[in-house]
Amino acid sequence: MSNNRGRGLQANALGTFDTVVMAVAGSAPAYSLAATTAVLVGAVGLASPAALLYCAIPMLGIALAFAQLSRIDVNAGASYSWVGRTLHPSLGFVSGWALVVSATIFMVAGSLPAGAMTLALFDERLADDTALATVVGAGWFLVMLGVVLGGARITVRAQLLMSGVELVLLTVFAALAVFHTGNARPFDWSWLGFGQFDGLSGFAAGALIAAFYYWGWDVTSNLSEETRNSRRTTGLAGLIGLGVVFLLFEVFTIAANVVLSSQQIARNGANVLAVLGEEIRPGWGGKLLVVAVMLSTIATLETTLIQVTRSLFAMGRDRTMPSVLGRVHRTWNTPWVAIVVVGAVALAMLVAANALGTVGEILSDAISAIGLQIAVYYGLAGLAAVVAYRKLLFTSVRHLVLGGLWPLFGSLFMFWIFVESLDELSGAAVTIGIGGLAVGLLPMFWYWHKGSDYYRPARLDATRTVEAEYVMDDRTAARSRVHEGLPTDF
């Protein structure tokens, strides 16, 4: 891969706190709970807290893999670059493509609830109107498109506002849920055990959905070229963000088991959090949590746009996709062509989805399809970390566990739930998930044939690159608007 010098992303735009906020927003705690709880309960019933708990352990292994890899290769493409330079360029492209497709599908899965939640603030009956929810959701999507186009600084300021209000509301209701006395059922420790799962295939189906809950913290890696001291910051922020959302997910999933009946959860589909809020604090609780979900959904549209556009930017820069995608706006230092293309495709898909069914039906298949694609690129990244650090694994217990065994376990777990869940998913979910990946083979073979340098990579090796520095803070002006030439060839 060539060492691009010239106009690029805005260096040093984000600090550590900014990046942690982006990691939490990427996983969208309120949105994930609202949109996915009914799907998870439908798959595993009262074992929802267990599915989230046992998926968090291998997911932490993947977060450790991202942290290790971001230390030796600063690249907006993240797993696309890492997997290509350790396992094989074609697998790297598949990894990047899986993110691009899953994020684009999410534009539909996220925009619809954003519209529905906005309408629910005025009249709950309006939230069931898929066409109206599509129009309002498209409006929010266009606003976020404009924010992301405006640059990393304005993006993180918008994120601080939206995620700040969301997290305050969720924390308040988490505390209220603990002291709530009108229980539908008493807490049971078996909700955190394996006994509630319907065998291994049932556990795999739950874990696949749980992977969707957590997905998004890795946006920090896609922002690495725009982050100060990114070799340390991006991985640390991802780990902190994963820890925060894990606690929120567990508290609210247990609260849903205690406070709500299975029928209430099933009836309310993408509106579970609002119903939970209404049960905890009748009158105003539901409205406040609708606000939290709306802000969370809009915020995660923003982080998902960042992930897909930065990935396409890296692909365009490497000429594994049309090179025009690697163009950066002269004023805002954002990949404006990639942003416009993604925006147009996502809006077209959003309009098409309007004809497919209700918001709940669309969400269910989209979440499962995205889960398959997440499992692919997370699993490949876990293997990439083991290969990149293979010469260091036996130099210390820390390297062996954090750089080898845990990422390897996370990787194997992701591949296992991918295979095991195929028989459990609907035909539509499998078609969207696998078909979306298969489409990527066309540009992969085309640009491989055209001779992109990406397919002749310099191999990643932690023993030679782990000490390298990336754009020292004191060498770059705080408002630097020029790409410094990333050390992507070591």
Side-chain angles (χ1 to χ4, degrees):
M1 281 177 286
S2 60
N3 207 3
N4 280 295
R5 293 185 180 277
R7 181 163 296 279
L9 303 175
Q10 185 176 358
N12 296 333
L14 306 179
T16 302
F17 179 73
D18 301 329
T19 317
V20 170
V21 170
M22 297 301 281
V24 174
S27 290
Y31 165 79
S32 298
L33 287 162
T36 320
T37 298
V39 182
L40 185 60
V41 170
V44 297
L46 294 174
S48 300
L52 288 164
L53 172 62
Y54 296 121
C55 188
I57 299 168
M59 187 63 74
L60 182 55
I62 302 302
L64 288 168
F66 271 72
Q68 298 282 59
L69 289 164
S70 63
R71 286 180 174 272
I72 58 176
D73 184 17
V74 175
N75 193 294
S79 61
Y80 154 78
S81 174
W82 304 331
V83 173
R85 299 181 60 189
T86 52
L87 305 180
H88 193 274
S90 61
L91 291 177
F93 184 89
V94 168
S95 181
W97 184 259
L99 171 56
V100 167
V101 174
S102 57
T104 305
I105 294 172
F106 178 78
M107 302 306 172
V108 177
S111 296
L112 281 169
M117 290 296 135
T118 304
L119 292 169
L121 289 175
F122 301 98
D123 187 339
E124 290 186 7
R125 290 170 296 180
L126 290 175
D128 295 326
D129 187 331
T130 306
L132 193 55
T134 300
V135 172
V136 178
W140 279 121
F141 176 73
L142 287 171
V143 170
M144 288 302 100
L145 203 68
V147 170
V148 171
L149 187 62
R153 293 184 189 280
I154 188 174
T155 298
V156 78
R157 284 169 186 162
Q159 200 61 256
L160 284 168
L161 176 63
M162 293 184 291
S163 296
V165 174
E166 173 200 356
L167 290 176
V168 167
L169 289 173
L170 287 179
T171 303
V172 168
F173 273 86
L176 292 173
V178 170
F179 298 105
H180 181 68
T181 54
N183 297 343
R185 61 172 70 86
F187 171 77
D188 191 329
W189 283 104
S190 70
W191 297 344
L192 296 170
F194 279 102
Q196 298 276 357
F197 292 110
D198 183 19
L200 278 179
S201 60
F203 171 69
L208 188 75
I209 298 165
F212 176 82
Y213 270 83
Y214 292 115
W215 175 53
W217 54 265
D218 52 305
V219 66
T220 60
S221 297
N222 297 104
L223 284 166
S224 61
E225 296 185 23
E226 298 153 271
T227 304
R228 290 191 294 276
N229 191 22
S230 64
R231 292 189 184 276
R232 172 184 175 276
T233 302
T234 55
L236 177 62
L239 289 165
I240 294 172
L242 183 60
V244 170
V245 297
F246 165 72
L247 292 175
L248 288 171
F249 290 155
E250 282 295 332
V251 168
F252 276 92
T253 308
I254 290 171
N257 275 3
V258 169
V259 176
L260 302 179
S261 66
S262 300
Q263 291 76 21
Q264 281 179 296
I265 293 172
R267 276 199 312 268
N268 289 282
N271 205 28
V272 171
L273 210 58
V275 177
L276 180 63
E278 187 66 26
E279 289 286 337
I280 293 174
R281 279 294 179 270
W284 53 269
K287 290 289 186 186
L288 282 181
L289 282 187
V290 166
V291 171
V293 174
M294 184 185 75
L295 290 173
S296 178
T297 309
I298 298 165
T300 199
L301 280 176
E302 184 186 83
T303 58
T304 309
L305 273 167
I306 288 171
Q307 283 198 280
V308 67
T309 54
R310 269 38 174 196
S311 296
L312 286 173
F313 163 76
M315 290 172 155
R317 186 172 60 186
D318 288 340
R319 290 175 173 76
T320 56
M321 289 286 280
S323 59
V324 70
L325 295 171
R327 287 187 184 175
V328 173
H329 195 278
R330 288 186 171 276
T331 303
W332 302 319
N333 289 86
T334 51
W336 69 274
V337 176
I339 291 170
V340 170
V341 168
V342 168
V345 171
L347 284 174
M349 290 175 60
L350 185 57
V351 172
N354 184 49
L356 298 180
T358 66
V359 173
E361 290 168 347
I362 294 167
L363 278 178
S364 181
D365 286 336
I367 287 167
S368 297
I370 291 171
L372 289 174
Q373 292 154 358
I374 293 167
V376 168
Y377 89 85
Y378 276 176
L380 289 172
L383 284 181
V386 176
V387 172
Y389 279 81
R390 63 192 182 282
K391 296 178 183 176
L392 294 176
L393 294 183
F394 295 101
T395 59
S396 70
V397 173
R398 175 182 172 276
H399 275 126
L400 179 62
V401 174
L402 301 185
L405 296 179
W406 210 334
L408 180 62
F409 169 64
S411 173
L412 295 177
F413 183 83
M414 291 297 160
F415 291 136
W416 176 75
I417 62 175
F418 177 91
V419 174
E420 280 289 322
S421 61
L422 286 177
D423 290 338
E424 300 293 316
L425 300 179
S426 69
V430 174
T431 301
I432 295 169
I434 305 298
L437 292 176
V439 170
L441 298 178
L442 298 176
M444 185 185 81
F445 287 120
W446 174 257
Y447 286 98
W448 193 341
H449 176 70
K450 291 189 72 173
S452 167
D453 286 346
Y454 173 83
Y455 294 103
R456 296 185 295 275
R459 311 297 292 181
L460 272 184
D461 183 345
T463 59
R464 291 190 287 112
T465 62
V466 75
E467 298 300 330
E469 292 295 334
Y470 161 65
V471 189
M472 295 292 289
D473 291 354
D474 57 354
R475 295 182 189 173
T476 306
R479 293 185 177 274
S480 169
R481 306 187 72 77
V482 179
H483 180 55
E484 294 295 328
L486 296 174
T488 52
D489 280 333
F490 296 97

